[in-house]
Amino acid sequence: MNLSLIGTGYVGLVTGACFAEVGHKVICVDRDAEKVKLLQSGGMPIYEPGLEELVKKNVAAGRLKFTDSTREGVENSEVVFIAVPTPPLPDGSVDLSFIEGVAREIAAAMTSYKIIVDKSTVPVKTGDKVAETIKRYCKSQVDFDVASNPEFLREGFAVEDLMHPDRVVVGVRTERPVKALKEIYEPFGAPIIVTDINSAELIKHAANSFLALKISYINAVSVICEATGANVQEVAAGMGMDARIGRRFLDASLGFGGSCFPKDLSAFIKISEQLGYDFGLLREVQRINTDQMERFVKKIVETLWVLKDKTIGVLGLAFKQNTDDVRMSPAIELCLRLQKEGAALRVHDPKAMDKARALLKDVVYVDDMNAVAEGCDALVIATEWPEFKKLDLERARKALSHPIMFDGRNLFDVKEMKRLGFIYKSIGRG
């Protein structure tokens, strides 16, 4: 099929590349002309495992192209996917100005029947607003359908998630677009769930909020583990073997971050509030997440006492492994908190240092993870990159002025770290 993706961020670019990979002809549209030029020249605006190879392969095959013209995308497509940002507003609600703007552009470019699919994460009832906007601004008065197709991609595993999805959710206002939408996803071999459009929009916010709840739950349990000498990893393993619970998202840490969980949680709380329901459970999830960072900073301060004029090494800046995304990253927040306390920082991340420079100033960026500890009073693990498990611990111990490590991701074994001579502080492990 002929498809277009309006927006080439994480969702739009990965989705477009994967659609092309299974044989569809795809036009990816972005208003940022410089980003389009970068993609056309073979460059990549983001790091995502496997994505660069997929893009180059399908561009060469003629199935994937890039443009800054919405009209070009709409005119040459049967189905138009909206994948633009939906950033949070100060009150926690969602800024839908990009959605509204794209809907108007699509309307202005339409000259024949189109299926417009909202792939961005949006509040329930947005589909109705998109349909109303398109009808209002479409001068040719052609027929169209609006649908919802929320994405469930994990940054760092997005290509894998899209090529092998757990499920595909399609929300529609009428039955007319269902056949085409099923045809798009048929090559992926996943169950396709067809719902009304309001249910599809709610599924995404409900799913992400529940996953955030799981993370906050195990972080709350980690506090009890520390108070009793229990091991949160053993508790999580025992819980996770229950098929009703599952082991995923039960890793105690600094807390969740990134561009999805915090935003979607706030949005769902606000949506509920606007509908007359106080979703207090989710506000508690937010509080636990905030408290987790507070406890970790307190652990560092209590151990080092005064942070002013001390140098701390930090491993990890991305909000999670396998991505260069630093938006709402707990690692960045931690660095800023340590700077506020007066500490100097030496930092390293395998992929995110370039993007971190815009948010984190007056730090020393170190290319080699094994050199970060040199001249430092302590070392902090802030992101769960698998590379960090291969850290030369003997070198780090000798390089530190005091062999102190704060592990915000529980990467190392407590007994082994103590055997090596470290003062080792982790999360929820006695």
Side-chain angles (χ1 to χ4, degrees):
M1 295 182 69
N2 294 318
L3 313 175
S4 61
L5 274 293
I6 314 297
T8 56
Y10 280 90
V11 175
L13 187 54
V14 173
T15 303
C18 291
F19 280 170
E21 177 68 9
V22 298
H24 300 302
K25 193 169 183 179
V26 181
I27 299 175
C28 283
V29 181
D30 200 286
R31 66 170 58 183
D32 185 342
E34 291 302 315
K35 181 191 284 189
V36 171
K37 287 180 182 177
L38 176 68
L39 287 162
Q40 289 172 336
S41 67
M44 292 295 295
I46 59 173
Y47 171 74
E48 184 67 36
L51 180 59
E52 183 175 359
E53 297 81 0
L54 211 59
V55 169
K56 289 180 177 178
K57 173 185 175 183
N58 286 283
V59 167
R63 292 189 298 266
L64 180 63
K65 66 177 293 188
F66 302 96
T67 180
D68 61 0
S69 169
T70 299
R71 180 170 295 276
E72 181 183 351
V74 173
E75 288 179 346
N76 293 282
S77 302
E78 303 160 71
V79 184
V80 181
F81 288 83
I82 300 174
V84 296
T86 51
L89 292 169
D91 67 351
S93 60
V94 179
D95 180 356
L96 294 172
S97 61
F98 293 104
I99 297 284
E100 197 265 354
V102 166
R104 290 176 63 171
E105 291 178 10
I106 292 170
M110 282 172 46
T111 55
S112 61
Y113 172 76
K114 304 291 178 184
I115 301 170
I116 296 97
V117 185
D118 202 341
K119 202 154 190 61
S120 301
T121 302
V122 295
V124 63
K125 308 290 282 185
T126 298
D128 292 341
K129 292 293 186 183
V130 169
E132 182 182 314
T133 300
I134 292 173
K135 186 175 182 180
R136 181 177 300 161
Y137 290 95
C138 183
K139 294 179 181 179
S140 57
Q141 298 298 305
V142 295
D143 209 1
F144 65 92
D145 277 296
V146 171
S148 173
N149 174 219
E151 55 83 17
F152 301 99
L153 308 181
R154 298 169 297 160
E155 287 187 36
F157 305 91
V159 172
E160 174 69 18
D161 287 346
L162 209 148
M163 295 302 294
H164 306 284
D166 295 326
R167 78 291 200 198
V168 174
V169 175
V170 172
V172 293
R173 304 170 84 227
T174 71
E175 287 296 314
R176 184 167 49 180
V178 173
K179 182 176 182 295
L181 294 171
K182 284 185 174 180
E183 184 179 338
I184 291 170
Y185 280 104
E186 190 276 333
F188 296 97
I192 299 176
I193 303 168
V194 180
T195 73
D196 63 272
I197 197 166
N198 291 342
S199 295
E201 290 171 337
L202 273 174
I203 285 169
K204 178 59 186 293
H205 275 124
N208 274 2
S209 295
F210 184 78
L211 295 175
L213 184 152
K214 283 190 77 172
I215 295 169
S216 280
Y217 182 82
I218 200 64
N219 278 337
V221 170
S222 76
V223 180
I224 306 303
C225 288
E226 287 189 12
T228 58
N231 185 322
V232 71
Q233 290 177 314
E234 294 178 0
V235 173
M239 290 173 58
M241 291 180 73
D242 188 325
R244 298 168 300 174
I245 297 173
R247 180 62 179 83
R248 293 172 66 185
F249 292 89
L250 286 179
D251 290 308
S253 67
L254 295 175
F256 57 80
S259 63
C260 290
F261 283 4
K263 174 178 73 73
D264 291 352
L265 192 62
S266 294
F268 203 21
I269 292 169
K270 194 66 178 180
I271 291 165
S272 303
E273 180 184 305
Q274 291 167 347
L275 295 170
Y277 179 66
D278 179 6
F279 216 143
L281 175 63
L282 298 187
R283 286 191 282 103
E284 186 65 11
V285 169
Q286 287 180 318
R287 186 193 66 79
I288 292 170
N289 198 55
T290 299
D291 286 354
Q292 192 72 355
M293 178 63 71
E294 297 290 339
R295 277 191 292 272
F296 195 73
V297 171
K298 183 180 179 182
K299 192 174 295 187
I300 295 173
V301 171
E302 287 181 344
T303 304
L304 298 181
W305 191 20
V306 176
L307 298 192
K308 186 178 180 181
D309 298 328
K310 287 191 171 68
T311 301
I312 298 176
V314 179
L315 291 174
L317 297 170
F319 85 94
K320 60 180 289 190
Q321 62 175 312
N322 293 334
T323 182
D324 61 353
D325 195 348
V326 294
R327 290 174 294 176
M328 299 190 75
S329 168
I332 295 291
E333 181 185 347
L334 176 63
C335 287
L336 294 173
R337 292 287 299 272
L338 296 176
Q339 283 185 317
K340 188 176 180 181
E341 293 285 339
L345 303 180
R346 290 170 56 83
V347 303
H348 170 80
D349 189 282
K351 296 294 180 181
M353 289 200 290
D354 285 345
K355 290 189 176 178
R357 292 178 198 275
L359 301 175
L360 197 57
K361 311 288 186 181
D362 302 319
V363 304
V364 176
Y365 288 90
V366 183
D367 291 331
D368 179 3
M369 69 175 181
N370 286 306
V372 171
E374 293 174 7
C376 290
D377 296 283
L379 191 61
V380 174
I381 309 292
T383 308
E384 67 276 26
W385 283 95
E387 293 94 319
F388 295 163
K389 291 183 179 181
K390 299 175 183 178
L391 183 71
D392 187 334
L393 294 172
E394 183 62 26
R395 177 178 169 180
R397 185 181 65 79
K398 292 178 178 178
L400 291 164
S401 60
H402 304 284
I404 302 172
M405 180 185 288
F406 301 95
D407 188 348
R409 300 293 175 172
N410 288 350
L411 293 189
F412 298 108
D413 181 76
V414 176
K415 291 181 180 178
E416 177 64 12
M417 293 300 287
K418 289 181 178 178
R419 187 191 69 78
L420 290 172
F422 281 89
I423 297 171
Y424 180 67
K425 307 282 186 176
S426 56
I427 293 179
R429 299 193 293 177

